[in-house]
Amino acid sequence: MDCEPAISPYDLLFQALALIPVSHYFLAAFSLLLVFLYNFLEIHFFHDLLTLFRGDAVTLTYNSSSDLGRSVAAKCKILQQRYLVTPWLSSPHLQTAFLTFHGRPPPVTYRRHLFRAFDGGTIALDWLSYSDVREGASALIDGSTAHKGDKTPIVIVIPGLTSDSTATYVKHLAFNLARQGWNVVVSNHRGLGGVSLTSDCCYNAGWTEDVRKIIDHIHCEYPEAPLYAVGTSIGANILVKYLGEEGANTPVIGAAAICSPWDLLVCDRFINRRPMQKIYDRALTVGLQGYAQLHQSILSRLVNWEGVEKSSSVRDFDNHATRVLGKFETVDTYYRRSSSTNYIENVSVPLLCVSALDDPVCTSEAIPWDECRVNENIVLATTPHGGHLAFYEGITASGIWWVRVVNEFFGVLRTSPLIKRQKMQGCPVPKPLQSSIDQAPYLNVTGDGMVTAMGNEPRDALQEDTLTEHTIHGKKDEGTISDNRANFELTDKMNSDEQIKQQVEKNVKDLIVPVQVRIDKLSRRSRQSIWLLAYIAIITTWPFVGSIIVSVLKKRFKTLIPGTLFRK
């Protein structure tokens, strides 16, 4: 009997697979792709379905004995409630991408002023007020937002890396604060906001000098207005570092740090760890290279330009440019010295910190939980989801959760007894030495669309124009012009001398009054101490001194009175 040839099991398997419709294979491949993307993009849609009507709990970390946590944070209803993520943005990467590429920013009208630093650098300050929001325009115009003596609170916004006042999240924040009646000013980093670099100095993650000068200047210009500050991403790191450096000397009375990297070295390790994070690293690098290209004429002679162009990561860029400009020995030295974790313990003003545990850029591993818990001036709010600066909420993703949190926190803080108006200080820098905000900035637009600052016409030039106008229309002679010029100079000198005299008298009075009070207290205590010491001396020495006095009296009276009287 002939044996039938054995059939290979693989042949049977292939025959069986061939019987399956091709559409089923496409369906299986599509399912596998969805599973891969669900895990790769860290989508938490099914988790959101379970908590659709509840949302994510907000965890508050603060000192148990902190009045800020027990009184201010407890009154913030948004912090006590849950954060409900937009269902179709159930991923930190989807949230961050939506914020970056679309974000639905509200229309705003900034009023631009230019601030000139001591080293010649130019910083664009974009103001937004309630009247600007009410008008509803969406253009950048020049003009004054606040006036001397205005008591409307001012919020200073410090954007993130390569971000400026046009960023979506900045517009959301500025619009919502201005709509509540706050004056908002966005302090753009050097070289951003459409303004060219006008000095050899650039900003970095630990550069606090610009923020310090801006805050001092605004406090000097509007001494009656309470100052608040908000920092986002790298801007949050700069803000916290500044607050730690200044301690109680800052004029800021309340602040918020949103999605801060905290420890730059930890974040650098994190962003180079997984494939998804490397995408963010590359995107940030492209942004930094674009910033460098805008200012190639200056940066090309200060840094390793070839290395900047070939940089494949933020660390490479920092090694070839940021480290060199900041005069740091190594990149790790730059990261360590610029990290705000080193300064948290010295923060002396109420500070709200908001972070998402799934932040794809600023990892939760860098959050300084213990340091925030020790400092009584800090409240740390964390959510399981939110992405990097996104935190979109609602079905339509029309609002950003942390923007509402900051708005409410500042509102509660403003009426809290913890906030006491600080004693008004004089201008930290003599005004004539500082190129302050231009009242009507003169701009020079270059061919590439960048804007460079040109100083305002000096006061003497304006006076010359005034005199010339009088000469033309009034037909005054040269003698009259000289007299007018002399009158201008004499008036300015008298006004200057009078202001200096008043300032000196005020400073002397401010110095003498507390000294006199302390001297009076010391004198009263000294007199009391002298009488007490005299009493103690008399009591302790009376037996000895008394015997001496009695013996002396006996001898004196014995010579004056006849001796028979002393005989027995």
Side-chain angles (χ1 to χ4, degrees):
M1 184 175 181
D2 295 334
C3 295
E4 296 180 357
I7 301 176
S8 173
Y10 293 104
D11 293 338
L12 295 175
L13 179 61
F14 287 134
Q15 292 175 9
L17 293 176
L19 297 175
I20 300 176
V22 178
S23 60
H24 291 190
Y25 285 107
F26 281 108
L27 182 61
F30 182 71
S31 301
L32 291 176
L33 179 62
L34 290 180
V35 172
F36 171 77
L37 293 177
Y38 189 89
N39 290 275
F40 184 74
L41 298 178
E42 303 176 54
I43 299 175
H44 45 82
F45 177 76
F46 294 109
H47 172 269
D48 290 344
L49 286 179
L50 297 176
T51 61
L52 182 61
F53 300 103
R54 294 175 52 212
D56 294 326
V58 181
T59 302
L60 298 181
T61 302
Y62 55 87
N63 194 303
S64 58
S65 60
S66 170
D67 292 333
L68 179 67
R70 291 182 300 180
S71 61
V72 177
K75 294 180 181 179
C76 294
K77 296 181 180 179
I78 302 176
L79 290 177
Q80 303 302 323
Q81 298 171 355
R82 292 172 173 264
Y83 163 54
L84 184 59
V85 184
T86 299
W88 47 277
L89 293 177
S90 300
S91 164
H93 310 297
L94 294 178
Q95 287 251 13
T96 306
F98 183 77
L99 175 67
T100 303
F101 298 108
H102 185 61
R104 297 180 178 176
V108 297
T109 303
Y110 290 119
R111 298 180 182 269
R112 169 153 296 183
H113 292 175
L114 295 180
F115 178 86
R116 185 65 64 87
F118 282 110
D119 61 357
T122 305
I123 302 171
L125 300 181
D126 292 333
W127 289 79
L128 189 71
S129 65
Y130 174 73
S131 59
D132 300 326
V133 172
R134 184 178 54 189
E135 292 171 1
S138 58
L140 185 65
I141 60 178
D142 299 330
S144 177
T145 298
H147 55 81
K148 290 284 187 179
D150 192 348
K151 297 183 180 180
T152 304
I154 298 175
V155 179
I156 303 171
V157 180
I158 309 170
L161 187 68
T162 68
S163 295
D164 55 22
S165 59
T166 62
T168 298
Y169 62 88
V170 174
K171 288 185 176 180
H172 275 282
L173 176 63
F175 181 84
N176 281 273
L177 287 173
R179 189 169 56 180
Q180 298 298 322
W182 300 71
N183 284 333
V184 183
V185 53
V186 182
S187 177
N188 297 283
H189 300 294
R190 296 187 182 212
L192 292 173
V195 178
S196 299
L197 285 177
T198 55
S199 70
D200 293 346
C201 182
C202 294
Y203 78 99
N204 58 53
W207 179 253
T208 58
E209 286 304 311
D210 287 346
V211 173
R212 181 174 291 104
K213 297 302 180 184
I214 291 297
I215 291 176
D216 289 344
H217 180 82
I218 294 177
H219 178 57
C220 179
E221 289 292 310
Y222 311 104
E224 298 295 326
L227 293 185
Y228 297 80
V230 180
T232 57
S233 193
I234 289 297
N237 186 82
I238 295 174
L239 176 60
V240 175
K241 184 173 180 287
Y242 158 78
L243 294 176
E245 291 173 346
E246 292 296 302
N249 297 324
T250 175
V252 175
I253 62 175
I258 312 300
C259 295
S260 174
W262 297 113
D263 193 318
L264 300 178
L265 193 59
V266 173
C267 288
D268 174 65
R269 301 290 190 268
F270 170 77
I271 206 170
N272 288 281
R273 183 183 305 167
R274 294 185 293 180
M276 193 63 193
Q277 269 60 50
K278 291 182 179 180
I279 296 177
Y280 288 98
D281 188 25
R282 183 56 187 165
L284 292 173
T285 305
V286 171
L288 289 171
Q289 289 174 328
Y291 170 82
Q293 288 289 344
L294 289 175
H295 313 292
Q296 180 179 358
S297 59
I298 293 180
L299 297 181
S300 58
R301 61 181 174 80
L302 300 175
V303 302
N304 180 5
W305 187 252
E306 182 179 358
V308 168
E309 292 182 322
K310 295 181 179 180
S311 296
S312 59
S313 64
V314 174
R315 185 179 182 86
D316 289 342
F317 183 91
D318 289 338
N319 183 47
H320 296 300
T322 311
R323 176 190 65 81
V324 179
L325 292 170
K327 297 179 175 57
F328 295 99
E329 296 83 1
T330 65
V331 179
D332 284 357
T333 302
Y334 159 58
Y335 289 156
R336 288 192 180 96
R337 293 182 182 177
S338 300
S339 297
S340 58
T341 51
N342 305 322
Y343 302 86
I344 296 177
E345 61 180 358
N346 295 326
V347 174
S348 302
V349 300
L351 173 65
L352 172 67
C353 305
V354 178
S355 294
L357 300 183
D358 66 349
D359 193 318
V361 179
C362 301
T363 174
S364 60
E365 300 172 11
I367 297 178
W369 303 92
D370 292 340
E371 289 83 351
C372 292
R373 188 178 292 109
V374 170
N375 193 325
E376 296 184 359
N377 299 303
I378 296 179
V379 173
L380 172 63
T382 56
T383 60
H385 306 109
H388 185 66
L389 296 174
F391 290 87
Y392 279 99
E393 59 182 352
I395 300 298
T396 60
S398 58
I400 296 179
W401 177 79
W402 66 262
V403 171
R404 293 199 302 123
V405 171
V406 171
N407 198 342
E408 184 183 37
F409 178 77
F410 282 172
V412 175
L413 193 62
R414 182 180 176 184
T415 59
S416 172
L418 293 176
I419 298 299
K420 295 181 179 179
R421 294 297 301 274
Q422 299 180 2
K423 185 178 180 180
M424 296 305 173
Q425 303 291 336
C427 295
V429 180
K431 193 172 181 180
L433 298 179
Q434 180 172 338
S435 298
S436 60
I437 300 175
D438 297 332
Q439 296 302 319
Y442 296 89
L443 307 178
N444 180 26
V445 183
T446 60
D448 56 359
M450 297 299 292
V451 178
T452 57
M454 299 175 59
N456 280 355
E457 294 182 272
R459 182 177 179 85
D460 293 340
L462 294 178
Q463 292 173 357
E464 283 289 338
D465 292 343
T466 303
L467 295 174
T468 303
E469 182 179 357
H470 281 298
T471 302
I472 294 174
H473 297 283
K475 299 183 179 180
K476 294 181 180 291
D477 56 11
E478 294 182 358
T480 305
I481 295 176
S482 301
D483 294 339
N484 287 340
R485 185 182 293 108
N487 290 335
F488 274 120
E489 294 176 354
L490 180 60
T491 303
D492 289 344
K493 184 176 180 181
M494 292 175 62
N495 293 337
S496 178
D497 293 342
E498 184 66 22
Q499 292 176 357
I500 294 174
K501 182 179 179 181
Q502 293 177 358
Q503 184 66 29
V504 170
E505 291 178 353
K506 180 179 181 300
N507 292 339
V508 172
K509 183 178 180 180
D510 292 342
L511 179 63
I512 291 177
V513 170
V515 173
Q516 185 65 41
V517 172
R518 293 182 179 274
I519 291 177
D520 293 340
K521 290 183 179 179
L522 183 61
S523 300
R524 289 194 296 269
R525 292 182 179 179
S526 299
R527 288 193 293 269
Q528 295 174 358
S529 300
I530 291 173
W531 284 111
L532 180 61
L533 290 175
Y535 174 76
I536 294 174
I538 292 173
I539 295 300
T540 54
T541 59
W542 176 250
F544 176 74
V545 175
S547 60
I548 294 177
I549 293 176
V550 171
S551 61
V552 171
L553 291 176
K554 285 183 177 180
K555 292 181 181 180
R556 294 294 299 271
F557 281 106
K558 187 176 182 180
T559 57
L560 295 175
I561 302 175
T564 54
L565 296 177
F566 292 95
R567 293 176 183 176
K568 293 182 181 180

